[in-house]
Amino acid sequence: QVELAQSGGGLAQIGGSLRLSCAASGRAYNYRYTIGWFRQAPGKEREFVSAVWSGSAPTYADSVKGRFTNSRDYVKNMVYLQMDDLKPEDTAVYYCAAALGLTFGHNEYGRYNYWGRGTQVTVSS
């Protein structure tokens, strides 16, 4: 079993910054899990934001590339999503997710087995 506890998020102004955290735990959890970030805006499908796995640089959706930074602390079992230059279209509920050994298809939410509860990010003027 893997558990993901999310924190962070909230309200930011256009051009502002927020940081999301995802703490992974559980007897089954280890460094081989791919951790993905997804988001879902009202009335829209859940979409890929970023993912990171051991031995690879993080990947990003084109919509957040250059603005978001995904980082992982393998000692603390933490994953962080630093979100800079926020835009109104970044408003959504953000989720972290885990899947063992996932690389191909890491941008597909259906491939992840474990999910955090989600955290709201709202960007407004």
Side-chain angles (χ1 to χ4, degrees), residues 50-102:
S50 179
V52 62
W53 60 89
S54 178
S56 179
T59 67
Y60 298 93
D62 288 343
S63 59
V64 306
K65 201 171 293 183
R67 300 188 298 120
F68 289 13
T69 303
N70 188 351
S71 61
R72 184 168 179 174
D73 185 328
Y74 287 90
V75 175
K76 296 181 178 179
N77 292 338
M78 295 290 298
V79 181
Y80 305 98
L81 186 68
Q82 177 67 37
M83 305 183 293
D84 298 318
D85 190 22
L86 285 163
K87 303 177 180 182
E89 52 263 42
D90 295 321
T91 295
V93 177
Y94 284 70
Y95 299 89
C96 63
L100 182 61
L102 177 64

Side-chain angles (χ1 to χ4, degrees), residues 28-49:
Y29 182 75
N30 58 66
Y31 72 94
R32 293 177 295 163
Y33 271 83
T34 293
I35 303 296
W37 288 98
F38 291 80
R39 65 187 182 185
Q40 189 164 18
K44 295 189 176 181
E45 194 169 308
R46 192 167 298 190
E47 66 173 3
F48 170 75
V49 175

Side-chain angles (χ1 to χ4, degrees), residues 1-5 23-29 77:
Q1 189 73 7
V2 174
E3 297 178 353
L4 302 174
S25 63
R27 294 182 64 181
Y29 182 75
N77 292 338

